Amino acid sequence: MALFKRALARAFSRTEKVFEFAFGQRNNPFVNLGALGWYFYWIVAISGVYLYIFFDTGVTDAYASVEYITHDQWYAAGLMRSLHRYASDALVVVVVVHIFREFAHDRLRGRRFFAWLTGVPLLAFIYICGISGYWLVWDKLAQYIAIATTEWLDTLPMFGEPIANNFLNSTALGGRFFTLMVFIHIFGPLFMLLLMWVHIQRHSGARVNPPKELAIGTMAMLVALSFAYPAVSQGPADLDVVPTDIGFDWFYLAAYPLLDVVPGGQLWLYIIGSLVLLALLPWLPPAKPVQPALVDLDNCNGCTRCFDDCPFGAISMVPRTDGRAYDTEPLVNPANCTSCGICAGACPTSTPFRRAVPIQPGIELPDRTIGALRGELMVAQDADGDEPLVLVFGCDTSNVDELQGADTRVIKLPCVGMLPPSFVDFALSRRFAHGVMIAGCAEGDCFHRLGNEWTIARMAGDRDPYLRKRVDSRRLLLDWLPRDAGRRRRKALEAFRRALAGICDE
């Protein structure tokens, strides 16, 4: 399993470099897969509502209404039909790639299992909604899908009478059955939206919208594709004639050719077994246990910064329990805490300048304390050598160990969001370094979701706790790169060191 993950991660890394070159790091589609999934869902939903205005739900009139949509109103409803079709296909692609990418980067195990587990039924609902939509066109492809699906469903021991009997001939199919399919196609996406909301419940500040540039470009691409290759029907369905030549949509219908070689009941076992295995992946093998953040009420004034910054909703504010003159205190839910340390970086008492008493923040990780972090910083050599000394703070998922050298000191954290801005001030003002480099994950792709974002805002003075204005911004480098971008990170470090040399000579 580990070998497969590493191979998959390398494949993603190489592919993403190409897309980063074309789109830039912020607009790289691979780091916006979840947001793109939401975006395509809303395109499908809005275009579907528009199409329903012109759609006739009767068995005999459905095909004619779709033909009117496609040809008579090609500039509006026809465009919407094509957008509906291509956004649906794109939704399948981004969701499947999103699943593989999250697996490759190991973002599914331990206390992060919830999003993965709730994503499995979402995948099933995408296919239910998509396949039921093909029925409504009621062309030759819909006829094939209807017959194949009902015969496949009949292999399950749950129906009193074979539902495939509804498609024996043109007189057997009733209007009520077709109305039921319309209901399924409308209800399915609504229930899917509920599952999507549940899917992100443990993600504070979840991104459900892609960057504006990427959204505009994606829509332009879909519109251009819709005009160049509009979605069309494949001739009216006729249950008295077996369709022999049909176009196929492999995005949604990849399992159907297997019905010709695999018994339906056996194929159900394969699919259900695959979904069960997919759901169990977070525990194959289980993640190593991590200690959740601990609260020290003696040093907490209930400021809510840890609550605001927690990326996984692991902290809630509750009424004060120690009798002190503050309204609230943070309460950590161990089931949600991933031990990223971002809460410690947000705490105003996480400052290395306190020397009279030991550092004891209001909240921190028991096995990676702020006091120990200051101790590591203070054993660094003084910045009095011939070459500028750089202190590098890097996250555990970034390959920053290779930067360690005679003039480079590396300190690793669970996430760079754990670093209080005062530590940068402390390192520079007390001459433990000429410059500080913060090396995190790729922009928009933080392993702990919000570590990069909060660090950027804190260092820019846009979010508490913020970096003091007295700190020379030229002595601070924020470096956001993928974990395998070692050469680019070394080049950035050397360029930073040369800039520091010029500053030191001033």
Side-chain angles (χ1 to χ4, degrees):
M1 186 74 75
L3 290 176
F4 177 64
K5 278 186 179 180
R6 286 196 292 269
L8 197 58
R10 284 195 296 269
F12 272 113
S13 176
R14 292 168 183 169
T15 306
E16 289 170 26
K17 285 180 182 178
V18 177
F19 280 82
E20 182 182 335
F21 176 79
F23 295 95
Q25 196 174 81
R26 179 173 180 270
N27 291 310
N28 190 331
F30 281 88
V31 301
N32 292 284
L33 290 170
L36 282 173
W38 279 84
Y39 186 57
F40 288 131
Y41 172 86
W42 287 118
I43 294 175
V44 172
I46 293 171
S47 59
V49 170
Y50 186 90
L51 292 173
Y52 189 71
I53 297 173
F54 304 95
F55 182 70
D56 194 317
T57 58
V59 176
T60 57
D61 298 324
Y63 180 82
S65 65
V66 173
E67 286 297 283
Y68 167 79
I69 288 171
T70 305
H71 301 291
D72 291 46
Q73 206 189 115
W74 60 270
Y75 52 87
L79 172 63
M80 286 293 187
R81 181 191 178 186
S82 296
L83 285 176
H84 193 74
R85 161 70 183 277
Y86 292 129
S88 298
D89 290 344
L91 178 60
V92 171
V93 173
V94 298
V95 167
V96 171
V97 176
H98 182 53
I99 289 173
F100 277 103
R101 190 173 186 273
E102 295 300 289
F103 171 78
H105 293 320
D106 205 30
R107 295 171 178 166
L108 71 159
R109 296 191 300 135
R111 291 162 185 163
R112 304 180 70 155
F113 78 93
F114 183 79
W116 180 272
L117 195 62
T118 55
V120 174
L122 263 176
L123 181 63
F125 260 89
I126 289 174
Y127 278 92
I128 291 172
C129 295
I131 292 172
S132 65
Y134 277 104
W135 292 40
L136 303 186
V137 180
W138 205 232
D139 60 357
K140 292 180 180 179
L141 177 60
Q143 177 182 340
Y144 164 78
I145 295 172
I147 295 173
T149 303
T150 52
E151 290 179 347
W152 190 16
L153 288 171
D154 284 336
T155 61
L156 297 174
M158 56 186 295
F159 300 103
E161 296 182 4
I163 56 177
N165 289 347
N166 290 280
F167 301 95
L168 291 176
N169 52 61
S170 57
T171 61
L173 182 60
R176 287 186 301 175
F177 190 88
F178 200 83
T179 302
L180 174 62
M181 294 310 304
V182 174
F183 173 79
I184 291 174
H185 191 59
I186 294 175
F187 172 78
L190 292 176
F191 190 74
M192 180 177 159
L193 180 61
L194 174 62
L195 287 178
M196 291 167 65
W197 176 78
V198 172
H199 180 62
I200 61 173
Q201 276 308 288
R202 291 193 179 183
H203 287 180
S204 301
R207 288 192 302 135
V208 296
N209 296 309
K212 182 169 64 176
E213 299 86 350
L214 180 60
I216 293 173
T218 300
M219 178 59 75
M221 179 192 68
L222 289 174
V223 170
L225 183 62
S226 298
F227 278 126
Y229 300 98
V232 295
S233 304
Q234 301 186 30
D238 185 353
L239 292 176
D240 297 324
V241 178
V242 177
T244 57
D245 186 16
I246 56 175
F248 215 65
D249 182 357
W250 290 98
F251 295 103
Y252 279 97
L253 308 176
Y256 280 76
L258 296 176
L259 290 170
D260 295 330
V261 294
V262 178
Q266 189 173 332
L267 187 57
W268 279 119
L269 290 177
Y270 290 155
I271 291 177
I272 295 174
S274 298
L275 290 175
V276 170
L277 177 62
L278 198 63
L280 292 176
L281 281 180
W283 298 276
L284 298 175
K288 295 179 180 179
V290 294
Q291 296 188 55
L294 293 179
V295 176
D296 183 358
L297 291 181
D298 291 338
N299 294 281
C300 175
N301 64 2
C303 69
T304 75
R305 290 175 185 170
C306 58
F307 166 75
D308 292 334
D309 285 9
C310 179
F312 295 101
I315 299 174
S316 56
M317 302 303 296
V318 299
R320 200 77 184 190
T321 60
D322 61 353
R324 300 181 70 191
Y326 302 112
D327 294 331
T328 60
E329 66 182 57
L331 177 65
V332 178
N333 181 355
N336 289 14
C337 180
T338 62
S339 300
C340 63
I342 292 177
C343 55
C347 185
T349 58
S350 296
T351 171
F353 288 101
R354 295 172 61 183
R355 301 295 299 273
V357 295
I359 297 179
Q360 185 62 54
I363 187 170
E364 67 176 345
L365 300 180
D367 55 352
R368 191 68 172 98
T369 65
I370 295 297
L373 178 61
R374 186 179 71 172
E376 288 184 48
L377 190 157
M378 294 182 68
V379 299
Q381 60 266 41
D382 290 335
D384 293 325
D386 296 332
E387 291 294 324
L389 176 65
V390 178
L391 181 61
V392 178
F393 292 99
C395 60
D396 285 338
T397 56
S398 298
N399 294 328
V400 294
D401 293 316
E402 60 187 25
L403 301 180
Q404 182 78 42
D407 300 308
T408 306
R409 169 81 173 172
V410 174
I411 298 178
K412 298 188 70 174
L413 303 167
C415 175
V416 293
M418 177 184 169
L419 180 69
S422 56
F423 271 71
V424 177
D425 187 1
F426 185 77
L428 296 176
S429 62
R430 301 298 172 86
R431 296 190 59 79
F432 288 110
H434 291 100
V436 172
M437 176 182 184
I438 299 178
C441 305
E443 183 179 357
D445 196 31
C446 177
F447 183 82
H448 289 289
R449 297 190 57 250
L450 300 176
N452 288 7
E453 185 175 339
W454 294 160
T455 299
I456 293 172
R458 292 169 186 170
M459 299 304 166
D462 297 330
R463 190 177 187 88
D464 284 336
Y466 50 81
L467 184 64
R468 292 181 183 179
K469 292 184 178 180
R470 73 179 188 180
V471 176
D472 187 348
S473 60
R474 297 176 300 171
R475 295 180 180 269
L476 174 63
L477 173 65
L478 304 182
D479 186 62
W480 313 117
L481 289 172
R483 67 179 68 190
D484 65 336
R487 175 185 289 183
R488 293 164 61 186
R489 186 151 273 163
R490 287 193 298 272
K491 290 178 63 176
L493 174 61
E494 291 309 312
F496 182 48
R497 196 187 305 279
R498 288 194 297 270
L500 289 174
I503 297 171
C504 294
D505 291 339
E506 292 179 355

